């Protein structure tokens, strides 16, 4: 079994995951057009990966500060879509 290990700077959220690790998992276990539900979106890394993999998604976050971080990240990334 492959073990995914990478260092990630946890600047936005204490449990922030590496985008590369998230992309590896999503590409192995999903196909474009499938639906992803992220009940603990934290800093939004999984949502960023889902968008890159062509997945439909819905995310939830109970922590108002984490929600603000995830929302700002998605807005920031959407500004550069297509570049």
């Amino acid at each position: 079994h492959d073990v995914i290990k990478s260092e990630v700077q946890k600047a936005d959220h204490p449990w922030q995951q590496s985008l590369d690790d998230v992309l590896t998992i999503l590409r192995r276990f999903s196909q474009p057009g499938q639906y992803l539900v992220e009940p603990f979106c934290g800093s939004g890394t999984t949502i960023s990966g889902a968008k890159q993999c062509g997945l439909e998604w819905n995310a939830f976050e109970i922590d108002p500060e984490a929600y603000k971080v995830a929302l700002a990240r998605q807005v920031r990334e959407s500004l550069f879509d297509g570049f």
Side-chain angles (χ1 to χ4, degrees):
H1 295 279
D2 293 335
V3 176
I4 299 172
K5 292 183 179 180
S6 66
E7 294 297 316
V8 62
Q9 182 179 358
K10 298 179 185 300
D12 294 328
H13 193 275
W15 298 294
Q16 186 170 346
Q17 301 301 310
S18 156
L19 180 58
D20 288 339
D21 290 348
V22 169
L23 287 169
T24 297
I25 292 166
L26 291 175
R27 288 178 179 143
R28 282 188 189 173
F29 298 105
S30 66
Q31 296 176 9
Q34 288 184 321
Y35 199 81
L36 177 127
V37 175
E38 173 59 284
F40 310 102
C41 76
S43 65
T45 304
T46 302
I47 301 309
S48 296
K51 291 188 327 187
Q52 288 186 36
C53 290
L55 302 176
E56 299 293 323
W57 58 271
N58 200 344
F60 306 91
E61 179 56 61
I62 195 169
D63 178 0
E65 293 306 312
Y67 170 78
K68 290 177 190 174
V69 168
L71 181 61
R73 178 180 188 166
Q74 299 313 310
V75 168
R76 188 173 57 248
E77 289 178 1
S78 69
L79 293 174
F80 296 102
D81 283 350
F83 284 98

